[in-house]
Amino acid sequence: MRAIVYNEFGGPDVLSLGHTDKPVPGPGEIRVKVVAVGVNPLDFKRRYGWVEQYYPTTFPAVPGLEFAGVVDAVGDGDGPGRVPGEPLAVGDEVFGFTSTGAYAEYALAGDIARKPAALSFEAAAALPVAGETAQRVLDLLGLKAGETLLLHGAAGAVGQVAVQLAVASGATVVGTASPANHEFLRALGAVPVAYGAGLADRVRAAAPQGVDAAFDAAGRDALPVSIALCGGATERIVTIADMQAADHGVVFSAGGTPPEQVRAGLAAHARLAVEGRLAVPVVETFALSDAAKAQELSEAGHVRGKLIIKI
């Protein structure tokens, strides 16, 4: 099968399009024919070797965490790829996470859910990482109706989902973004503020009631100002972007959601997407051979929504 592979850490140039053996599903495992792949900042961070303490790499490595595709083969017996109560068969359309790398024609499924017929493969591939990450952090923060959340990087894919879920729960969201994204964030229900020098004053003006919790999806030294705006406390601050979180006494969240909860979240977010109550816009699609270009664009930042690789 065709796949993007890298054999060492480095820049986009370490990625190459080659051929590898199809993964073979073991007992209870599911192999999928990949149709669409979501590109995430974690892809280039893993390629550089920046997150080895959380996501150790075995070479040769195939990048990619999330996919949408079609069941291609099902191993005998029960196992981690099963959807509880819903046996999957060859030809079923699914989406979710892969255990073998999604930048490939075929992959073994990790936690997955059925793809609704009304949801395109591209839209489905945009949901897993952003949805699971946003939900996980909001749950860690214990955000409640009536509270105010400061969200750094609100216009990115994870940020957008977090805005929509938090607003739907009755919270107020103050989201940092470049001015070009402010109208977009207002449409999602957030109160936008520009990041950079003077951020604390802008947040205080936007949220005179104060900030109850902070979600850092951007990095860029967002933690000190978050701590200040949360009254010096760190208990309700979580980052997914700042590897120096421990130096600030802040939680760095890199996963840990129970599999059954991940699968339930996938199904719930898909239903919301079909109902028009949760959206992650696909801003650009790439061929598998252009995976390096997709990662370069992701690394440059300022992508409003999702980059998708079509297989």
Side-chain angles (χ1 to χ4, degrees), residues 194 196-206 225 228-229:
L199 174 60
D201 290 337
R202 290 191 293 278
V203 172
R204 291 188 183 101
V225 70
L229 288 164

Side-chain angles (χ1 to χ4, degrees), residues 80-252:
R82 296 297 193 201
V83 176
E86 297 186 44
L88 291 171
V90 172
D92 287 345
E93 296 180 351
V94 295
F95 77 110
F97 297 90
T98 171
S99 60
T100 56
Y103 291 34
E105 290 183 297
Y106 297 87
L108 294 184
D111 293 316
I112 59 175
R114 292 182 181 275
K115 182 186 78 65
L119 197 63
S120 72
F121 284 103
E122 294 86 350
L127 283 176
V129 169
E132 189 278 331
T133 304
Q135 190 68 66
R136 168 173 26 100
V137 174
L138 292 175
D139 290 346
L140 285 172
L141 292 172
L143 194 66
K144 304 177 183 68
E147 292 190 320
T148 297
L149 173 70
L150 171 60
L151 175 55
H152 300 277
V158 172
Q160 290 175 39
V161 174
V163 167
Q164 293 171 79
L165 294 177
V167 169
S169 75
T172 296
V173 179
V174 177
T176 72
S178 63
N181 287 321
H182 285 190
E183 281 303 314
F184 171 72
L185 289 179
R186 286 191 187 95
L188 293 181
V191 180
V193 295
Y195 55 77
L199 174 60
D201 290 337
R202 290 191 293 278
V203 172
R204 291 188 183 101
Q209 71 275 20
V211 170
D212 298 293
F215 179 172
D216 172 28
R220 306 193 198 99
D221 300 318
L223 296 184
V225 70
S226 298
I227 294 169
L229 288 164
C230 287
T234 61
E235 290 83 1
R236 298 189 72 192
I237 302 173
V238 175
T239 182
I240 61 169
D242 192 333
M243 301 301 294
Q244 278 68 55
D247 296 340
H248 299 279
V250 170
V251 169
F252 181 95

